[in-house]
Amino acid sequence: MPALRLLLLLAALCPPVPGRRPQRDAPGKIAVVGGGIGGAAVAYFLRQKFGRSVRLEVLEKAAVGGRLATLEVEGAGYEAGGSVLHPLNLHMKHFVKELGLSVAPAHGSLVGIYNGEEFVFEESSWYIVNLLKLLWHYGLNPLRMYMWVEDVLDKFMRIYRYQTHDYAFSSNELLLHALGGNDFTRMLNQTIDEAMQKAGFSHKFINEVVCPAMRVNYGQGVNINGFVGAVSLAGVESGLWSVKGGNKLVCTGLIYASKAEVIPGTVLSIEPKIRPRPAGDPAKLYQVTYNTTSGLTGDTYDIVVIAAPLSRKMANITFKNFDPPVPEFPNPYHQTVTTFVHGRLNASFFGYRDPSAFHFGAIFTTENPKLFINSVGVVSPVEDAGGAGKLPLRSAVWKVFSKEVLTKEQLNSLFSSYNSVKVKKWLAYPHYSPPEKCPPVILHDNIYYLNGIERAASAMEMSAIAAKNAALLAYHRWYGNTDRIDQEDLHEKLKTEL
């Protein structure tokens, strides 16, 4: 007994280890609203952090995959939403490897840049010819652009190191600032046009090379913010890839791996509830009400993660009885129309009298009010790992991006003949209008919002990064690990830990 008393005395005298807090119980149930890439990834990361005991439910109003969707054209599937991934998209690469999926490299085809009257640039199959053409037209601007984008990417890659070490950020601005400091913050507050002009790029280069890249990737011109502009320019580099069978397979695979239950339903409202417990403080929960085919129903959750854009046209969720109230985010999303046409492109539409001399498999456009398309390009089915861009003059499947649904007259002028047409209207990404203000990540004590990061840049990998950040943030805030949230000078701090 004296030995026991001595141990108790020592325990009382010894100060607690700094940073260690009494472990609270794990959350019982977590809801994820939305089964797109963000929702699927956050379910996967939440399971990794919180362990096997937590019940995970994914509430999805339509099909798992969200904006990663395929459209069927004559029995074959084609990517209608997010189509290509960058070689440095490390989360997406990890998912594909972890899920045992196959990669399909993006096969390049000859590109032409059309201004509505003529081609301002025509790519050759000879590398040296393209190099000379670029130098002749734009001087050193293309090389300087490559270096400018590489600098942005280099800073952006820091996020993987931070997340590997379990660091999280309570706002999108703090996350971006931790990567690129004031440079990244500044990029959100100016257009890509302003950012590149200040960096010394020519008007001609911005209008004829940068603008077409913005139009094909985001359906908008050079008035989008500088950060999403840099992401868009990274998307014209080589080494791009997609998932064989469709990028949406990543979503279904991640949800399966997370052992989450998918509940088909449209979330209508979220309301805080306090439930008394036999011992200890009362439990703070959230009542989530959703509509299913069987009618109105709902459940209570410890944590809610919203992985769908909060806007009236998308995830129109009412936040009831919150004090202070959850703000509305009047950030409009930009409509883009994807049209798949199985047919023969009309070379004379682009000023080519001899169709046999027309060898382009992709045509990007500059800003011109007369043009009714943003881009047009040959695509191959998601089941087929190769072949995109081959033999464009034979009857091929072309993917056309436009702001509005194409009329029959427009289709007849763009194609000399066609067999079938499939149309998909999307609210695909935000309508960018700098200066940008990202919505918060934390909407309430245990409600987290992923899609605010889209105000900086909308991309599959950005959603995966936001998903991991939200999962880490939810975990650290649940257990009080404040030393892993919003740490400054992480880049230098982690350097010294090597």
Side-chain angles (χ1 to χ4, degrees):
M1 289 303 287
L4 178 62
R5 271 199 294 272
L6 182 63
L7 282 171
L8 289 169
L9 181 65
L10 284 169
L13 291 172
C14 287
V17 179
R20 300 269 177 187
R21 289 173 175 78
Q23 283 285 306
R24 68 187 286 193
D25 290 340
K29 221 166 17 171
I30 301 176
V32 175
V33 181
I37 185 60
V42 84
Y44 175 82
F45 290 129
L46 285 166
R47 176 65 72 208
Q48 279 190 337
K49 290 309 297 175
F50 283 103
R52 290 182 296 178
S53 64
V54 177
R55 189 169 161 191
L56 274 172
E57 292 181 353
V58 176
L59 302 161
E60 171 52 57
K61 67 178 181 180
V64 167
R67 284 172 278 169
L68 302 191
T70 54
L71 206 61
E72 197 171 286
V73 180
E74 297 179 7
Y78 294 85
E79 291 285 6
S83 299
V84 290
L85 291 144
H86 192 274
L88 294 178
N89 287 169
L90 300 191
H91 282 319
M92 291 297 289
K93 281 176 90 167
H94 169 74
F95 296 155
V96 166
K97 186 179 177 183
E98 192 80 1
L99 298 170
L101 298 170
S102 300
V103 167
H107 286 262
S109 52
L110 295 182
V111 175
I113 297 172
Y114 185 66
N115 70 2
E117 293 167 9
E118 62 179 357
F119 280 95
V120 292
F121 186 82
E122 299 182 57
E123 192 180 21
S124 162
S125 52
W126 293 86
Y127 173 78
I128 191 69
V129 173
N130 288 326
L131 192 62
L132 292 170
K133 276 186 178 182
L134 286 167
L135 285 168
W136 175 256
H137 283 284
Y138 309 112
L140 293 175
N141 278 270
L143 177 64
R144 289 184 59 244
M145 183 189 83
Y146 173 79
M147 292 165 70
W148 188 75
V149 172
E150 283 298 300
D151 181 56
V152 173
L153 281 176
D154 192 45
K155 289 173 182 168
F156 184 76
M157 295 299 286
R158 294 172 183 174
I159 190 62
Y160 301 111
R161 192 125 183 269
Y162 300 167
Q163 292 189 335
T164 300
H165 284 80
D166 265 14
Y167 287 103
F169 301 92
S170 64
S171 77
N172 293 301
E173 280 86 358
L174 283 170
L175 185 152
L176 291 170
H177 192 271
L179 302 180
N182 292 333
D183 288 349
F184 276 18
T185 313
R186 205 176 295 115
M187 288 175 85
L188 288 182
N189 295 324
Q190 59 185 5
T191 66
I192 186 70
D193 187 24
E194 290 164 345
M196 294 193 81
Q197 279 195 53
K198 280 178 186 171
F201 291 93
S202 72
H203 279 288
K204 180 181 170 69
F205 181 73
I206 293 168
N207 293 335
E208 294 182 2
V209 176
V210 177
C211 181
M214 305 303 118
R215 284 167 63 82
V216 69
N217 289 321
Y218 291 101
Q220 297 157 77
V222 289
N223 287 326
I224 68 175
N225 77 66
F227 187 78
V228 73
V231 169
S232 185
L233 292 173
V236 298
E237 290 186 15
S238 59
L240 303 178
W241 58 281
S242 60
V243 178
K244 195 172 181 183
N247 293 328
K248 67 179 181 182
L249 293 180
V250 174
C251 301
T252 50
L254 288 174
I255 289 176
Y256 179 80
S258 74
K259 295 181 170 55
E261 182 188 350
V262 177
I263 298 175
T266 303
V267 174
L268 302 177
S269 67
I270 302 173
E271 186 175 5
K273 295 284 181 186
I274 293 179
R275 297 274 162 85
R277 285 191 292 199
D281 295 330
K284 292 179 179 178
L285 301 168
Y286 297 101
Q287 174 73 34
V288 179
T289 305
Y290 51 92
N291 214 351
T292 68
T293 49
S294 312
L296 208 60
T297 185
D299 209 341
T300 53
Y301 301 90
D302 295 282
I303 296 172
V304 178
V305 181
I306 298 168
L310 286 172
S311 70
R312 287 191 179 89
K313 289 185 178 179
M314 299 178 90
N316 190 10
I317 298 170
T318 303
F319 293 90
K320 290 182 177 176
N321 301 321
F322 281 86
D323 184 24
V326 173
E328 285 197 13
F329 310 116
N331 300 321
Y333 269 61
H334 187 86
Q335 176 180 282
T336 194
V337 181
T338 308
T339 307
F340 290 96
V341 181
H342 184 196
R344 189 188 292 257
L345 202 66
N346 180 12
S348 65
F349 177 87
F350 297 100
Y352 268 73
R353 290 182 182 175
D354 178 11
S356 64
F358 187 86
H359 297 295
F360 302 116
I363 296 158
F364 301 161
T365 61
T366 63
E367 203 76 62
N368 183 336
K370 292 178 188 172
L371 279 168
F372 54 82
I373 61 165
N374 289 339
S375 65
V376 55
V378 179
V379 287
S380 56
V382 292
E383 297 82 9
D384 175 21
K390 291 179 184 175
L391 303 172
L393 284 177
R394 295 192 183 173
S395 196
V397 175
W398 295 82
K399 185 179 186 178
V400 186
F401 284 133
S402 57
K403 286 181 182 173
E404 304 293 339
V405 175
L406 300 178
T407 64
K408 195 161 187 183
E409 291 74 25
Q410 288 169 337
L411 281 168
N412 288 337
S413 63
L414 191 57
F415 293 89
S416 53
S417 63
Y418 56 88
N419 305 326
S420 64
V421 177
K422 281 282 178 80
V423 181
K424 178 82 177 177
K425 282 168 75 173
W426 292 96
L427 288 171
Y429 21 66
H431 180 79
Y432 291 107
S433 181
E436 302 287 6
K437 177 83 178 84
C438 295
V441 176
I442 304 167
L443 299 185
H444 195 250
D445 295 345
N446 288 304
I447 301 183
Y448 301 91
Y449 181 43
L450 293 196
N451 295 73
I453 206 164
E454 288 194 72
R455 294 302 317 172
S458 179
M460 287 179 267
E461 187 71 4
M462 292 295 285
S463 295
I465 286 165
K468 183 146 193 184
N469 184 61
L472 289 170
L473 191 60
Y475 178 82
H476 293 322
R477 292 180 83 241
W478 185 265
Y479 290 115
N481 304 328
T482 52
D483 60 326
R484 294 280 155 178
I485 302 170
D486 295 338
Q487 293 300 303
E488 293 184 9
D489 301 319
L490 271 183
H491 183 57
E492 295 303 318
K493 184 178 175 181
L494 292 177
K495 261 187 192 174
T496 60
E497 284 185 12
L498 279 175

